[in-house]
Structures are given as C-alpha cells and as structure tokens.
Amino acid sequence: MENMNPESLLRKAQALGDDIKEMESIDVLGAYCQAQTRIKANRKKSLYNQLMRYAAFLTLPLLLSSLILGYLYFGGVEAEEKYAEIIAARGSVIRYELPDHSVVWLNSGSTLRYPTVFKKENRMVELKGEAYFEVEADKKRPFYVNTPEGLSVYVYGTKFNVTAYDDDDYVETVLEKGKVNVITPCKETIVLTPGEQLHYDRQTQKSIKNKVDVYGKVAWKDGKLIFRNASLEEIFKRLERHFNVDIKLNNEFGKEYKYRATFRNETLSQILDYLAKSVTLKWKIQEPEQQSDGTLTKTKIIVDLY
C-alpha cells in the first residue's frame, strides 16, 4: 500500500462518512410503500378502464333497446290492433260485456266487431243488425257505433238502441236515457233526447226525428215482442228473425192491417193464430228440407191473407 499523508487520509475518511450518512438517510420502507401504492393505483386504473369498456359494451344494446321502445311508445308506429266479433245466431239474443265494462245486447242475426283494447281517445265498435247498448260513462272517450252505410252514433255514457240490418231499407236509433249524437252519411249531426228516434232512409238518404214508445222498441232484449200500430209485413219480418224462419205473405187483395200487441212466451203458432182472429188469414208450415251439402233449409211459413 502506498504511503499516504495524513491530510489525504482524512479527506477520504470524510468522503466515506458522507456516503454512509447518505445511504442511511434513504427510507427504504417508505420507498417500498410508495412503490406498492403506485402499483396498486396503476392496477385500479387499469381495472377501472377495463370495466368501463365492458360497461360501454353492455350498455349500448340496452340504450338502443330503450330508445326503440321509447320511439314506439311515444311517437312510433302503433302496434297492430286486434279485433273480436260477437255473433248472435238467428233466433237468439246475446248479452255481452265489452272491455270498458259497457254492456251490449245483440238481437237475432246481428254481429258486433270491436277492438280487444279500446284506444285512449275513443271507443269504436261496428254493428250489423240490432243492438241495445248500456255505455259506461267516460267523458274523455266517446263511444262510437258505426254502421255499414256510414251512419255513426256517438255517446259518452247512456242507454240506446241501434237497428241496422242489411235487408232493411232504414237505420234507426232510439234513445232511452242520456244524450245521443247521430252523424248521418251526409255528415249531418243530429242530437237525440230521451224518448226520441232517428229514422234514416237508405234510399232517399233523409232523416226523420220523432217521439216513440221506447220500451216497445227495446223490449226484444227481455224476450218480448211489442208491436204498436205495426203492419203485417213489419210483424212478419220481426217474427222471422225472432224464430229463425222464413215467412211468405200472399196478400190476395192488397189489404192493409195495423196491429197493437205484446207477445212474451208465445210460440210462433200461437202468434199466427192470434193474428188470424181479426183478419181472414190462413197459414201452413213447410218443414225443412235436406240440401245437397247435408244442411237443412229454414222452416218456411206460407201465409195467405184474403
């Protein structure tokens, strides 16, 4: 070893001491903790970023579905309406409750078509034949009865009768309670009050409003046949529907007769016998015949008036 003077040795010892102090001053544990904290922070950040990517991936379809449903609900194309039909066979009367809790009676040979769910702004039904309505009151949603020739009846809650058979040359509306608005095919609106009837002639397209015996017009729903100043032709047409038969009237001398009568549980034969008491009238029954398709024809009644 080289000989070193005391001054040089002192400087080296001082330098070594400074290095040792610097090393001792390093906080190894603190540095370790800081390093661990940075590692955990980096891992959390990486996991957060990854989760956000997954969330975005999962949320996008949900967001699109929500937008589509919102569009369809608030402003898009409405779901297709579904309809149901009630049919009263010839010779029967049916009582039925509609989705809004309104009640309808259908007379023989009638059909009522209605949506299975009524719209928010109105309640519309289509009638062929005759029906008596007890409409559940709803001031925000009018109830419409539409007939094939374009005549409509609308109410907000009331009791009324509509007759619109295809083989009749007229359409009638009779109001029992409340108020009825009738819109004719000519777009004329006529208001009825209780006890009034609107008679619309399909041929002339003219409407006549007059007072009537309301119960006589609507008693059919209770199984009654009430005639007030009715001709034989009118009586026979109603008997045909009520008993599901065909009646042929041979008026030999063209005489006109008017009847006032009420029938409840009488058979067709009893009614014809009653009519024959006041006029020279004979009648006979032709029994049903089997057709080529295996079905039977209607019972036919031949009436001769002398």
Side-chain angles (χ1 to χ4, degrees):
M1 181 181 293
E2 295 182 358
N3 294 325
M4 300 184 67
N5 57 44
E7 186 178 352
S8 177
L9 288 173
L10 181 61
R11 284 198 300 269
K12 288 184 178 182
Q14 187 176 1
L16 179 61
D18 293 339
D19 290 339
I20 291 173
K21 287 181 179 180
E22 185 176 353
M23 290 178 65
E24 289 177 347
S25 66
I26 297 175
D27 186 358
V28 177
L29 182 59
Y32 173 78
C33 293
Q34 290 180 4
Q36 288 293 99
T37 302
R38 291 194 189 97
I39 291 171
K40 290 181 180 179
N42 289 336
R43 284 181 180 174
K44 288 182 179 179
K45 185 175 182 180
S46 176
L47 180 60
Y48 174 78
N49 291 336
Q50 190 172 6
L51 288 175
M52 288 302 293
R53 287 197 296 271
Y54 289 155
F57 177 76
L58 294 173
T59 303
L60 184 58
L62 181 61
L63 177 61
L64 291 175
S65 301
S66 300
L67 289 174
I68 292 171
L69 288 174
Y71 171 75
L72 291 176
Y73 185 82
F74 291 105
V77 179
E78 292 185 0
E80 182 180 356
E81 282 188 292
K82 294 183 179 180
Y83 287 84
E85 277 190 350
I86 318 166
I87 300 174
R90 291 274 181 175
S92 69
V93 174
I94 293 178
R95 180 187 183 278
Y96 191 82
E97 185 172 314
L98 295 171
D100 67 333
H101 303 299
S102 295
V103 179
V104 58
W105 282 260
L106 277 182
N107 204 352
S108 168
S110 301
T111 301
L112 187 75
R113 185 173 182 265
Y114 67 94
T116 55
V117 178
F118 284 126
K119 293 182 178 179
K120 294 180 179 180
E121 63 272 14
N122 58 49
R123 298 167 287 170
M124 285 195 177
V125 300
E126 299 171 14
L127 173 67
K128 292 181 180 179
E130 184 172 18
Y132 175 87
F133 296 89
E134 286 186 1
V135 176
E136 190 77 6
D138 189 340
K139 294 182 179 180
K140 295 182 179 179
R141 290 194 305 166
F143 188 100
Y144 285 84
V145 179
N146 298 321
T147 61
E149 57 285 321
L151 184 140
S152 296
V153 179
Y154 77 92
V155 301
Y156 292 94
T158 185
K159 298 179 181 180
F160 63 100
N161 193 87
V162 178
T163 306
Y165 282 105
D166 290 337
D167 55 352
D168 284 340
D169 57 6
Y170 64 89
V171 178
E172 280 185 353
T173 301
V174 177
L175 178 61
E176 181 177 351
K177 182 181 179 181
K179 186 178 75 171
V180 157
N181 305 277
V182 183
I183 305 174
T184 69
C186 302
K187 304 306 177 185
E188 179 186 10
T189 300
I190 300 171
V191 179
L192 298 183
T193 57
E196 290 186 332
Q197 167 191 274
L198 183 73
H199 181 99
Y200 175 78
D201 191 303
R202 284 172 166 158
Q203 301 299 322
T204 64
Q205 297 185 347
K206 291 184 179 180
S207 301
I208 299 175
K209 183 169 72 170
N210 56 286
K211 287 283 186 179
V212 292
D213 173 13
V214 174
Y215 187 68
K217 291 287 185 178
V218 305
W220 59 264
K221 71 182 180 64
D222 300 321
K224 299 178 184 179
L225 292 171
I226 298 179
F227 300 101
R228 297 290 182 264
N229 197 35
S231 66
L232 277 174
E233 288 80 2
E234 180 184 345
I235 291 173
F236 288 153
K237 179 168 283 189
R238 290 181 63 184
L239 291 177
E240 283 182 328
R241 291 169 182 158
H242 188 77
F243 291 100
N244 191 26
V245 297
D246 285 333
I247 300 178
K248 182 180 179 182
L249 173 63
N250 297 317
N251 191 341
E252 301 295 337
F253 301 106
K255 294 180 180 179
E256 291 291 333
Y257 295 94
K258 298 291 183 178
Y259 284 86
R260 181 183 179 88
T262 298
F263 301 108
R264 292 177 177 85
N265 300 313
E266 290 84 354
T267 65
L268 178 59
S269 297
Q270 289 172 328
I271 293 174
L272 292 174
D273 285 340
Y274 169 81
L275 296 175
K277 289 181 178 180
S278 56
V279 296
T280 308
L281 182 152
K282 296 181 179 181
W283 60 273
K284 62 182 178 179
I285 297 177
Q286 288 185 353
E287 294 299 328
E289 298 178 358
Q290 188 170 10
Q291 303 180 101
S292 59
D293 60 358
T295 60
L296 296 175
T297 61
K298 286 184 180 181
T299 297
K300 193 170 185 177
I301 313 295
I302 307 298
V303 178
D304 294 310
L305 179 65
Y306 299 96

